[in-house]
Amino acid sequence: MSEKVTGKAFDLKIFSRLMSFAKIYRWEFIISTLAAILLSLVSVAKPILLQEIVNTYFEEKDKEGILYFSLLMCGFLLAEVLLQFLFIYKVNWLGQHIIKDIRIKLQNHMLQFKMAYFDKSSVGKLVTRLVSDTETIAQFFGQGLFMIISDILKMFVVAVVMLFMNWKLAIIAFTILPILIYATKLFQIAIKSAFQEVRTQVANLNGFVQERVTGMNIVQLFNREKLEYQNFVKINDKHKKAHIRTVWYYSIFFPIAEILSSIAVGLMVWFGGLDIVDSGITNAGEIIAFIMMSQMLFRPLRQIADKFNTLQMGMVAGNRVFEVLDTESQITKTGTVEATHFKGDIAFKNVHFSYIQGEEVLKGLSFNVNAGETVAIVGATGAGKSTIINLVNRFYEINSGEICIDDHNIEQYTLQSLRNQIAVVLQDVFLFSDTIFNNIVLNKEGVTLNDVKNAAKEIGIHDFIMTLPGNYNYNVKERGAMLSAGQRQLIAFLRAYISDPSVLILDEATSSIDSYSEKLIQEATDKITKHQTSIIIAHRLTTIKNADRIIVMDKGEIVEQGSHLELLEKDGYYKTLYNMQFANEVA
């Protein structure tokens, strides 16, 4: 969708899409509209009653009449307050419920994206879309759209009453309106551009802060504090300038609007006063009423300009949110076969794949993994080892070829059932800010604490967990910061084990942990891989030397296959890797 700045308060297409979320709340919509209509009628009663009091009861010095009309005015004021409360509550209630629905839809849509989308997208900007932009959409309904409708209704009723009471004074007031409307139009065009820049800078700021906080250890390790501080100052300065630009437009428009409304009041008092002196047709009550009504006419117009800004910000935010909702980056879900349990036969058949078009990572890869077999994949960095894991789980779509499990193309399986049967332990373990138990079961139904404890005992890590404060209820904090790398690996391994997978994948799961943790994982690996298909990607000899078969990759192709001893006898690529990487470990 285009973000071209125009004078339009809103884009009709975006407006229609936003309003489609209000359909299920039609009664709240109707109540809000009725409250706005009644509010416009009740508010104009005050100047009419005041005119009557001044013209009739002040001149006649009728105390009872003054009291009666004063109480009547108080009644209308009370009614206006109650209607105002009902209106404000309902429109904001409606806005919050609509953004709740939008957030749910947006979050669900983002959860279905391919990994390639997140590879190219800033986390901070996505957070801005889901949190800040949707909140701005709430203001679109609560502080923008309905408030504008209410103000326009009020202005219309006031204009009609003014014409009915004294058309000459009304014409004087109306002569100022075109100038004020034109100034408002210019203000809208300028402020929309400014607010678009504000939203852009907010997203940039969020993205910058998100990345630096997440990578704070790298920032400090490489002494980048000063440089990152300077970069932050520059981005923050752009954010400040974008906001100051909006303030500058406000500081010009509102004084101009105030001057114009004051001129209108002065002209009405001057003309009305001369008319009273010359002919007596106009009366003091009318002048007082017109002063009140002119404020009711001009003030909403000034406020409408301000609310148009909110409306425009909501449009810009809606545009950004719908851009994400309109993004088609989902894995194709045409599969109908439910994978209840795999035997474990895996076949790659002439698979070609590239993360970036024209730069192939896998170049016609073909190999088989038999059911119950443990296959290790080794190779230099960039050989394509981890890519195999991503493709088996369908995190990415292959360019051509076929990947089969149990003689079915993996695209034939439903995505959820396919992933339920494959457990992966990655080198960089991600843990949520939650308890160890919840990080292990990930809210999987039917798994009890006793199940987790028994599984932990089977693979030998129960004692480690019991040493932690709170044991299985220990909160590991964000990304598992309270645990060491080795401890996080142990938790991830137990998470994979408790899921009872048909296929186990270890992606360099022991490459960055201590010897004690590696020993525990190696013992657990031996247990879990005994009777099921396992694929192990690793550098350490202790992880792969007992594998049934080792596949050696280089630049997206298989260069050797065989057992550890068979490959050492060939004096080929594997032996070179062994001499370079594993000889010291054997020694």
Side-chain angles (χ1 to χ4, degrees), residues 15-16 61 78 101 164 167 188 227 259 265 317 322 332 342 365 369 412 440 442 458 463 494 545:
F15 174 76
S16 299
K61 299 182 180 180
L78 181 61
D101 296 341
F164 179 78
W167 67 268
Q188 290 166 10
L227 180 61
I259 290 171
V265 170
F322 291 139
T332 305
F342 290 142
L365 190 68
V369 179
Q412 294 178 297
I440 292 169
L442 293 179
E458 287 177 21
D463 292 339
L494 179 56
K545 67 179 182 179

Side-chain angles (χ1 to χ4, degrees), residues 210-221:
Q210 173 89 20
E211 285 187 347
R212 271 58 185 184
V213 171
T214 303
M216 187 59 70
N217 58 336
I218 300 298
V219 171
Q220 296 182 355
L221 186 63

Side-chain angles (χ1 to χ4, degrees), residues 18-19 21-23 25 29 91-104 134 137-138 141 146:
L18 289 173
M19 291 304 296
F21 286 92
K23 288 180 180 177
Y25 305 110
F29 189 90
V91 297
N92 282 280
W93 184 97
L94 186 63
Q96 289 300 320
H97 279 72
I98 287 172
I99 66 160
K100 178 204 70 174
D101 296 341
I102 292 176
R103 277 181 179 147
I104 290 172
T134 51
I137 292 173
F141 286 98
F146 286 100

Side-chain angles (χ1 to χ4, degrees), residues 396-448:
Y396 299 85
E397 301 275 21
I398 62 176
N399 298 347
S400 62
E402 192 176 21
I403 302 174
C404 296
I405 298 181
D406 292 353
D407 298 323
H408 283 285
N409 189 311
I410 58 173
E411 294 179 7
Q412 294 178 297
Y413 294 109
T414 61
L415 192 60
Q416 184 176 1
S417 68
L418 171 71
R419 291 176 178 171
N420 279 340
Q421 295 303 315
I422 302 173
V424 181
V425 179
L426 299 173
Q427 177 184 357
D428 183 18
V429 176
F430 184 92
L431 298 180
F432 295 97
S433 179
D434 206 336
T435 64
I436 286 180
F437 173 77
N438 287 336
N439 269 289
I440 292 169
V441 302
L442 293 179
N443 297 321
K444 184 177 180 180
E445 294 182 2
V447 181
T448 66

Side-chain angles (χ1 to χ4, degrees), residues 9 54 71 74 100 116 172 197 235 252 261 288 387 421 436 469 501 515-516 519 534 577:
V54 172
L71 292 174
C74 289
K100 178 204 70 174
I172 291 175
E197 180 63 19
I235 293 175
I252 292 175
S261 61
I288 294 172
T387 299
Q421 295 303 315
I436 286 180
S515 299
Y516 174 72
K519 183 175 181 294
S534 303
L577 285 177

